[in-house]
Amino acid sequence: MKTDWKPLMQRVSSEMIKSIVVSLWFVFLTFPLMVMKIRPLDQTIEWRWMNLVYVGVGAFFLSFVWRYLMARKERGSEKDEGDSWQKRIGMKIRSDKRISVSGLIGVGIFVLIFPFLFSSYQTSIMITALMYVMLGLGLNIVVGLAGLLDLGYVAFYAVGAYFYALMNHHFGIGFWAALPFAGGLAAVFGILLGFPVLRLKGDYLAIVTLGFGEIIRLILENWNELSYGPSGIAGISRPGFFGFEFTLQQHTVYLFYIMVALVALTTIVVSRLRNSRIGRAWIALREDEVACQAMGIDKTRTKLTAFALGATWAGFVGCIFAAKTTFINPASFTFMESAMILSIVVLGGMGSIVGVMVGALVLILLPEYLRAFSEYRMLAFGASMVIIMVFRPQGIISGIRQRYEFRKQPQQEVSP
Amino acid sequence: MTAPQPVLDVRGLIMDFGGLRALDNINIQVNSGEIVALIGPNGAGKTTFFNCITGLYEPTMGDMIIHTPGKAPVRLNRLKPNVVTENGLARTFQNIRLFQKMTVLENVMVARHCRTKSGIAGAIFRGRKTRREEQEMVEHSYRLLEKVGLDSYVNELAQELPYGAQRRLEIARALATEPILLLLDEPAAGMNPKETHELDQLITRIKEEEGVSILLIEHDMKLVMSISDRIYVLDYGQMIAQGTPREVSENRNVIKAYLGEAFDA
Ligand SMILES: Nc1ncnc2c1ncn2[C@@H]1O[C@H](COP(=O)(O)OP(=O)(O)OP(=O)(O)O)[C@@H](O)[C@H]1O
Ligand SMILES: [Mg+2]
């Protein structure tokens, strides 16, 4: 035991020295900003030496904590612990029906009374968050399950939104009639994108899909006869309910419930797909394309179904988006949108349904509730993303996907 | 004596990579119920041969035909890898290519893909037919895992298996496609003598119980000599010898190829 102490002390002191260097460097960098303050009136410089101390101590402290966490991460102890910890909880929830059922009922009740607990404004934010949950679950099929990095996902969102907007504008077609076709049309576009990129992988695929997203946006922006260009389409009908007249507030509540139902539907469909013959083919394709083909899976077909089924959800949400805002223009469908949805998937945990839900709620709700911090809002947002990615590269929730279904089945067979 | 029934019939196979001729006019036949070995020094072109017949590479020239009993012969040239598999050729890989992040059972279930049918609607609505098919898939896969001795690992991730078990999982996965000819690329690589011995028995048992023929690439001479009915020897893309284990082990060209110039001098 004695021998263990010496190297530890040595490491700590060497880490301290490094942190001191970092803090000195920060002090130097921020010196003109934090310490010197020019008073334009009397043309003097105020020296705020206390700030120098704050920056120095703060940087030293943060750097030291950072180093400590990184060291732990490198030793792998944290990751393993975290994973097995998560695994244990996941298994407990799965094995104990009471926990999962009561949890589900709790969440269900909370969701159902949500619009009555919170203001219309909060409900509206929640609707947006739920829309992103759906988008995330859709993109999760393409990126998380099939492993195809798609940076142009927003294109399908735009297709759904414009489809409903135009149908409503020209033919007065209602939301419910348009919804399934918006999904269908998006699926067709998914296949259209899928064909040319069948042979592409990784970065190349990412670049082409990014281009595809931009092309759709540019078409919408410039093809005035079709899309009314940058000025967009206004006066889109909200979802109807057997001809009832709703107030604006009632509309929000109604849309909230629509979203809850659709998210529930999406969850069921995606989780069934994931555990199906097709879902396994997607995952196999992601894991090893060559082996996947050699095991008799048609690569072309599998990729196209992934693109099509992923796009379908974006089409649905696009339709809802148009109905929610009653006004759309191409500015809503920029690359930032794709990046946001992708962040939800990656941050939440690729391939994990609960992960994507958490990711969407965090990424959409966090910036809203950080508004109090005004200009630091996006900074805090970015920082939290960096921190999560550094310490949990697999996403907030992970590993659950693999252990879901087959835990019991074979055991049932061997021990009847 | 009647001619034995060929399962795989490859004639005049040539494979060029740019200027390099990796396979030069190769003829290989595997008959029904046989275990045939393909051996040769490193870089001889053995894996390239597998890649050609399984559709991963498109050979420069030659004919590759598979004869399924009771069906018309199928020419394998220019078929996609998955179609080759559907026609009864399944393989393992020299550098293990499992679906690492899937469970052991799922790995085998994936290979049932080409023998099952349920589609998107089936997956979403999960009707009786889909559930029955799924159940069949689980049972079939489980039985294969039992056969290769991995039934205690069903829910482990493939990446968590020890090396020898990963190789056996690859075999189970290949078998799940219901092949008539099983192609094994160095199945004993990285195994200890005990594991190799078990593999020897496993291969023989698979041949008998599953009714498949086997074409095997292997460097472990003891294994090759003990289980093969016939052996082909490749060197620098040329077929330098073929015959029974005995004939091959006494062949001067083979000894030279294996022991190199030192023996020559
Ligand atoms: N895709 C390729 N492109 C270019 N050359 C290749 C390719 N695949 C294989 N080769 C070459 O073909 C030759 C035969 O390689 P192959 O992998 O078939 O050897 P092998 O007999 O399987 O050897 P080992 O026992 O080491 O596995 C080698 O010279 C290799 O470099
Ligand atoms: Mg090889």
Side-chain angles (χ1 to χ4, degrees), chain B residues 117-118 122 126-135:
Chain B
K117 282 203 273 308
S118 61
R126 220 171 252 188
R128 182 128 45 89
K129 220 164 113 197
T130 311
R131 270 176 297 161
R132 199 184 311 132
E133 191 179 84
E134 191 86 354
Q135 186 63 22

Side-chain angles (χ1 to χ4, degrees), chain A residues 291-352:
Chain A
C292 173
Q293 283 179 284
M295 290 309 123
I297 290 170
D298 188 341
K299 185 175 93 175
T300 309
R301 225 156 120 183
T302 308
K303 275 195 183 178
L304 288 181
T305 51
F307 273 119
L309 281 172
T312 308
W313 301 107
F316 288 149
V317 185
C319 186
I320 296 161
F321 175 74
K324 175 177 187 272
T325 56
T326 70
F327 165 75
I328 56 167
N329 72 352
S332 307
F333 307 106
T334 57
F335 169 67
M336 267 316 287
E337 216 50 32
S338 291
M340 190 65 175
I341 305 166
L342 188 67
S343 313
I344 287 171
V345 174
V346 175
L347 206 74
M350 286 214 262
S352 156

Side-chain angles (χ1 to χ4, degrees), chain A residues 87 269 271-273 275-278 280-281 283-288 290-300 302 305 309 401-411 413-414, chain B residues 56 80-82 85 91 93 97 99-103 105-106 109-111 113-114 116-120 123-126 133-135 137-139 142 146 154-155 157 160 173-174 177:
Chain A
K87 232 183 244 172
V269 170
S271 72
R272 285 191 166 186
L273 279 173
N275 297 338
S276 72
R277 171 172 175 267
I278 292 175
R280 283 187 295 269
I283 301 171
L285 190 72
R286 177 193 75 191
E287 290 295 303
D288 192 320
V290 172
C292 173
Q293 283 179 284
M295 290 309 123
I297 290 170
D298 188 341
K299 185 175 93 175
T300 309
T302 308
T305 51
L309 281 172
R401 192 208 79 235
Q402 298 106 14
R403 317 204 140 256
Y404 44 100
E405 192 194 355
F406 306 104
R407 189 141 281 283
K408 296 197 195 82
Q409 278 178 346
Q411 277 156 20
E413 284 151 23
V414 261
Chain B
L56 294 182
K80 288 203 283 179
N82 58 301
T85 307
R91 69 175 291 179
F93 293 90
R97 300 191 87 129
F99 308 121
Q100 299 287 355
K101 294 241 154 57
M102 301 178 91
T103 63
L105 185 69
E106 278 179 312
M109 287 172 76
V110 164
H113 192 96
C114 62
T116 46
K117 282 203 273 308
S118 61
I120 298 168
I124 294 172
F125 298 111
R126 220 171 252 188
E133 191 179 84
E134 191 86 354
Q135 186 63 22
M137 220 188 269
V138 171
E139 276 162 24
Y142 187 76
E146 271 180 328
V154 269
N155 287 305
L157 295 188
E160 284 161 8
R173 189 179 65 170
T177 65

Side-chain angles (χ1 to χ4, degrees), chain A residues 172 378 382:
Chain A
M378 288 328 263

Side-chain angles (χ1 to χ4, degrees), chain B residues 46-47 94 185-186 217:
Chain B
K46 307 179 295 293
T47 301
Q94 180 174 359
D185 197 343
E186 302 198 16
I217 295 175

Side-chain angles (χ1 to χ4, degrees), chain B residues 17 20 22 40-49 57 94 185-186 219:
Chain B
F17 293 114
L20 175 81
N42 289 114
K46 307 179 295 293
T47 301
T48 304
F49 178 78
Y57 292 165
Q94 180 174 359
D185 197 343
E186 302 198 16
H219 281 300

